[in-house]
């Protein structure tokens, strides 16, 4: 809109008189249209309410932009350390300066875990799987993940469904969401974020994924002073010798016990123990189901035996003895009597000094179980055990 006014010197606010001039009134500036003889128009900033508000908004925008740049610089430094060997990293982020929320540190773990184990790990660091209160925080955690992980990687946050209601594990009110199209799936209970687009999906809580913890920062006078730190994983270049255990020719090495075993044949109980001692060991002792099965398979003949009155002679002598017939069994190698596998049909009856392992199938139903037998009975087989040989090799 135009109006006619006497010209004025806007620098001195004094009237110049004489000619009439057109003044175009604009917001937030005023343009003065003059006659051809006068200088070109000036743009004059008016000190009105709109200008003041614009200044405030511009100042606020510049403040936020500066803080975001600072945050990005901190993230870049941490991510660079991450690439040099950290298993996870922590990013300082003063969320309070954005939306009035608490100061927080974010920790990305690159060791995949299911939702529950991930939450436990976060709690061990005095935090929780991260809650997300707004779009800025959602973008921030996605950027943290995206800068280290490949684009389509997903990671856990702390949202899970309890009694049909979505909640955060840290107790934060569940007021912000960023579900992908078609989500959440009613059959899944835990929230995963896709780092490439920051969108959420509900998936099976038992899925192993990366995850981000949120940990309270230490604050002093409004500034973050402490976030938990992770020490770099420094490769150990120390050259250490390697120990390899094996056995003499004819002996079998068993890694669970780190011992060597050999099957011998045709001796009585006492004779078999003496033979084992001569070879540097004792009759085999057994302390677990795994050892019991191993010795049974090592010594079996591959036949099915019947009860012909001398059925015990077909079985395998082991080192469990009761020479006084009072039930006080002991292993000849001095190891504790901490495991037993007696056959119910032939449980100890204080009749016999020695113990056999039924290594082959037979008609009495005692396969891979123990029976007692007389000391003077020669047996088909017995198993000796002795220490393995340690070979020290340099890398």
């Amino acid at each position: 809109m135009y109006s006619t006014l006497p010209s004025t010197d806007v620098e001195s606010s004094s009237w110049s008189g004489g000619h009439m001039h057109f003044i175009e009134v604009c917001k937030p500036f005023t343009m003065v249209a003059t006659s051809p003889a006068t200088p070109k128009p000036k743009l004059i900033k008016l000190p009105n309410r709109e200008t003041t508000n614009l200044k405030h908004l511009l100042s606020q925008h510049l403040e936020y932009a500066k803080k975001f740049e600072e945050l990005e610089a901190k993230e870049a430094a941490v991510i660079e350390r991450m690439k040099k060997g950290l298993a996870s990293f922590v990013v300082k982020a003063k969320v309070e300066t954005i939306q009035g929320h608490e100061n927080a540190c974010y920790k990305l773990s690159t060791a995949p875990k299911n939702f529950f184990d991930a939450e436990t790990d976060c709690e061990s660091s005095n935090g929780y799987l991260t809650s997300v209160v707004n779009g800025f925080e959602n973008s921030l955690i996605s950027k943290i993940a995206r800068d280290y992980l490949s684009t389509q990687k997903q990671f856990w946050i702390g949202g899970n469904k309890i009694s049909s209601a979505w909640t955060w594990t840290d107790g934060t009110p569940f007021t912000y969401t960023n579900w992908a199209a078609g989500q959440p799936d009613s059959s899944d209970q835990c929230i995963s974020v896709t780092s490439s687009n920051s969108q959420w999906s509900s998936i099976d809580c038992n899925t192993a994924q990366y995850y981000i913890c949120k940990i309270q920062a230490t604050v002093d006078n409004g500034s973050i002073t402490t976030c938990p730190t992770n020490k770099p994983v420094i490769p150990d270049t120390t050259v250490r010798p390697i120990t390899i255990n094996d056995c003499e020719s004819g002996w079998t090495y068993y890694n669970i016990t780190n011992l060597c075993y050999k099957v011998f044949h045709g001796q009585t109980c006492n004779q078999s123990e003496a033979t084992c001692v001569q070879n540097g060991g004792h009759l085999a002792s057994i302390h677990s189901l795994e050892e019991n099965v191993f010795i049974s398979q090592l010594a079996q003949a591959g036949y099915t035996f019947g009860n012909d009155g001398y059925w015990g002679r077909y079985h395998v002598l082991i080192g469990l003895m009761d020479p006084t017939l009072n039930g006080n069994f002991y292993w000849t190698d001095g190891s504790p009597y901490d495991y037993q596998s007696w056959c119910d049909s032939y449980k100890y009856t204080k009749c016999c000094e020695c113990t056999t392992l039924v290594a082959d199938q037979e008609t009495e139903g005692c396969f891979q179980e123990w029976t007692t037998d007389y000391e003077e009975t020669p047996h088909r087989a017995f198993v000796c055990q002795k220490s393995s040989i340690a070979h020290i090799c340099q890398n």
Side-chain angles (χ1 to χ4, degrees):
M1 167 173 191
Y2 291 89
S3 60
T4 56
L5 294 172
S7 66
T8 179
D9 183 349
V10 294
E11 300 291 339
S12 62
S13 299
S14 60
W15 295 99
S16 61
H19 302 288
M20 300 297 291
H21 303 279
F22 293 102
I23 299 176
E24 180 182 8
V25 181
C26 306
K27 295 181 180 180
F29 302 102
T30 298
M31 183 177 73
V32 179
T34 64
S35 64
T38 60
K40 293 182 179 180
K42 295 181 180 180
L43 295 177
I44 303 170
K45 195 170 185 179
L46 299 179
N48 56 20
R49 180 177 300 174
E50 287 81 359
T51 302
T52 302
N53 288 343
L54 182 61
K55 282 183 178 180
H56 175 72
L57 291 173
L58 180 60
S59 173
Q60 198 172 53
H61 172 76
L62 291 174
E63 180 184 354
Y64 288 167
K66 180 180 178 182
K67 292 183 182 300
F68 194 80
E69 288 175 0
E70 291 173 354
L71 182 58
E72 283 189 318
K74 292 175 183 177
E75 290 174 21
V78 175
I79 290 165
E80 185 62 30
R81 293 202 308 273
M82 177 70 177
K83 293 177 179 178
K84 293 180 180 179
L86 287 175
S88 58
F89 61 89
V90 176
V91 177
K92 292 181 181 180
K94 193 176 181 184
V95 184
E96 181 183 18
T97 60
I98 306 301
Q99 290 292 340
H101 297 285
E102 295 181 354
N103 297 287
C105 303
Y106 299 88
K107 175 183 175 183
L108 170 66
S109 175
T110 56
K113 299 182 186 297
N114 65 42
F115 180 89
F116 309 106
D117 290 343
E119 176 65 19
T120 298
D121 182 59
C122 291
E123 290 178 7
S124 71
S125 300
N126 297 318
Y128 299 89
L129 282 171
T130 186
S131 54
V132 181
V133 298
N134 54 39
F136 173 82
E137 189 170 24
N138 193 60
S139 297
L140 172 64
I141 61 173
S142 296
K143 185 179 187 304
I144 293 171
R146 193 166 55 247
D147 284 345
Y148 181 71
L149 307 175
S150 58
T151 55
Q152 290 300 321
K153 293 293 185 182
Q154 291 184 291
F155 60 91
W156 290 123
I157 57 177
N160 67 327
K161 187 164 61 176
I162 300 176
S163 300
S164 75
W166 288 100
T167 63
W168 297 113
T169 56
D170 64 2
T172 298
F174 199 89
T175 56
Y176 170 83
T177 62
N178 192 40
W179 296 111
Q183 293 292 331
D185 189 315
S186 59
S187 62
D188 295 316
Q189 311 293 316
C190 296
I191 299 179
S192 172
V193 180
T194 301
S195 60
S196 60
N197 59 18
S198 307
Q199 292 186 331
W200 302 0
S201 301
S202 62
I203 69 171
D204 184 351
C205 301
N206 292 311
T207 305
Q209 294 195 131
Y210 303 131
Y211 53 97
I212 292 183
C213 304
K214 182 193 289 187
I215 304 165
Q216 183 69 33
T218 301
V219 181
D220 184 22
N221 295 326
S223 299
I224 292 180
T225 58
T226 304
C227 264
T229 57
N230 292 303
K231 295 181 180 179
V233 178
I234 301 173
D236 185 357
T237 57
T238 305
V239 177
R240 292 184 174 87
I242 298 174
T243 301
I244 300 174
N245 295 85
D246 63 7
C247 304
E248 297 173 3
S249 178
W251 292 73
T252 301
Y253 177 72
Y254 186 44
N255 65 314
I256 290 181
T257 60
N258 195 30
L259 296 173
C260 298
Y261 298 83
K262 185 175 181 179
V263 180
F264 295 84
H265 304 277
Q267 294 184 358
T268 66
C269 185
N270 288 336
Q271 289 171 342
S272 63
E273 172 64 15
T275 298
C276 292
V277 172
Q278 290 172 4
N279 282 273
H282 292 277
L283 281 169
S285 60
I286 300 175
H287 303 281
S288 69
L289 175 62
E290 291 82 4
E291 293 176 49
N292 196 67
V293 172
F294 166 75
I295 293 174
S296 174
Q297 293 175 342
L298 181 68
Q300 64 187 199
Y303 297 101
T304 298
F305 297 106
N307 183 3
D308 60 359
Y310 298 94
W311 76 300
R313 65 184 178 178
Y314 300 118
H315 306 315
V316 179
L317 283 166
I318 56 177
L320 191 63
M321 303 286 191
D322 179 23
T324 60
L325 303 180
N326 61 6
N328 294 323
F329 285 92
Y330 66 89
W331 293 106
T332 57
D333 67 354
S335 59
Y337 179 41
D338 54 6
Y339 172 81
Q340 53 186 282
S341 183
W342 293 108
C343 177
D344 289 336
S345 300
Y346 289 87
K347 206 160 189 177
Y348 175 66
T349 57
K350 295 187 179 181
C351 74
C352 311
E353 302 90 342
C354 303
T355 304
T356 60
L357 168 61
V358 181
D360 290 274
Q361 294 287 352
E362 43 71 52
T363 59
E364 299 297 322
C366 296
F367 177 57
Q368 293 188 341
E369 295 181 330
W370 304 348
T371 68
T372 55
D373 205 352
Y374 297 103
E375 189 284 324
E376 64 270 19
T377 303
H379 288 77
R380 179 185 67 81
F382 59 96
V383 178
C384 297
Q385 68 179 35
K386 65 177 181 179
S387 300
S388 59
I389 303 169
H391 301 278
I392 300 177
C393 308
Q394 296 291 338
N395 279 332

